[in-house]
Amino acid sequence: MPGRLTGKVALITGATGGIGRATADLFAREGARLVVTDIDQQAVQQLAADLATEDAEVLAARLDVSSAENWSEVVELTRHRFGRLDVLVNIAGVVDWPGIEGTEQDAWERVIAVNQTGTWLGMKAAMPLLRASGSASVINTSSVLGLVGSGAAAAYQASKGAVRLLTKTAAVEYATRGVRVNSVHPGVVATPMIQDLLDEQGDQQPDIVRTPMRRAAGPAEIAPAVLFLASDESSFVTGTELVVDGGLTAH
């Protein structure tokens, strides 16, 4: 039986992280041909080897999402290998926890470079190939912290809020040009990015306490939301925010 992404080529950034790996695994099972990228070349090559089967064609590439030159190289690799690109999933991200006064400028600039600038650079580099698809989808990873304040993580919140509105303006720009653009907003997810905090505070971690479901999500609970936006099932969905947060923003 054909998968929900059969015939599509998808490029995923941050593919070796928790949500990235879960998404890559699900996309492969749903029939996509994949370009998996990460800044850690050894890790992304191992991921490609793990995913590749007779039915799953996977290309691994090292990608620093804050580098325009690196983006151009990866898009060209994609064009050369597959001749097309139908789905771009911007997942790569970093976090810095201090608030306004505690945030150092170099940390601020690093978070903005990866989370915000990296998302824009990815869309800019990939858009010609996506437009040529005629029915493409971009999924940008924001956060519940791109929707509501937390009183901390100033750089991270600023970057994720920017991704939310960057997504909306891109959705309007490309609405009649064959590319849908949406954002996914995870809540607390048990990924390597916050695992130390979860290990330390467990179910008393403040955001978990605020979440009506009183637990963190697993990465595999976020990936199906990305799959829906990547698939043709969401053909009339663009410029929207798909919140996957266990009810955290419901009250």
Side-chain angles (χ1 to χ4, degrees), residues 186-191 194 198 208 211 215-222 244-246:
V188 185
V189 185
T191 67
I194 67 163
L198 292 173
I208 292 179
T211 301
R215 66 174 179 84
E221 294 179 288
I222 310 301
V244 191
D245 71 349

Side-chain angles (χ1 to χ4, degrees), residues 8 12 17 29 37 60 81 85 106 150 161 173 245 249-250:
K8 295 185 183 294
I12 302 171
R29 287 188 276 117
T37 73
R81 175 69 171 269
L85 180 64
D106 60 345
S150 71
E173 182 175 356
D245 71 349
T249 57

Side-chain angles (χ1 to χ4, degrees), residues 11-25 35-40 43-44 47 61-65 71 74 88-94 114-115 118 141 191-193 219:
L11 191 161
I12 302 171
T13 75
T16 67
I19 296 173
R21 187 180 185 100
T23 300
D25 180 69
V35 183
V36 290
T37 73
D38 203 283
I39 199 165
D40 185 332
V44 79
L47 172 62
R62 182 187 180 277
L63 174 60
D64 174 357
V65 297
W71 264 113
V74 170
L88 171 64
V89 188
N90 285 308
I91 297 178
V94 293
V114 173
N115 298 0
T141 307
T191 67
M193 184 182 289

Side-chain angles (χ1 to χ4, degrees), residues 47-103:
L47 172 62
D50 292 344
L51 293 175
T53 66
E54 288 185 4
D55 300 320
E57 189 175 356
V58 186
L59 171 66
R62 182 187 180 277
L63 174 60
D64 174 357
V65 297
S66 68
S67 165
E69 181 181 2
N70 210 175
W71 264 113
S72 295
E73 292 168 352
V74 170
V75 169
E76 186 54 37
L77 279 174
T78 303
R79 187 197 311 272
H80 179 75
R81 175 69 171 269
F82 297 112
R84 63 185 298 151
L85 180 64
D86 306 284
V87 181
L88 171 64
V89 188
N90 285 308
I91 297 178
V94 293
V95 67
D96 187 54
W97 294 112
I100 298 296
E101 295 179 68
T103 298

Side-chain angles (χ1 to χ4, degrees), residues 198-213:
L198 292 173
D199 290 343
E200 178 185 340
Q201 298 181 346
D203 61 8
Q204 296 306 304
Q205 202 270 341
D207 286 336
I208 292 179
V209 173
R210 289 168 51 207
T211 301
M213 293 182 74

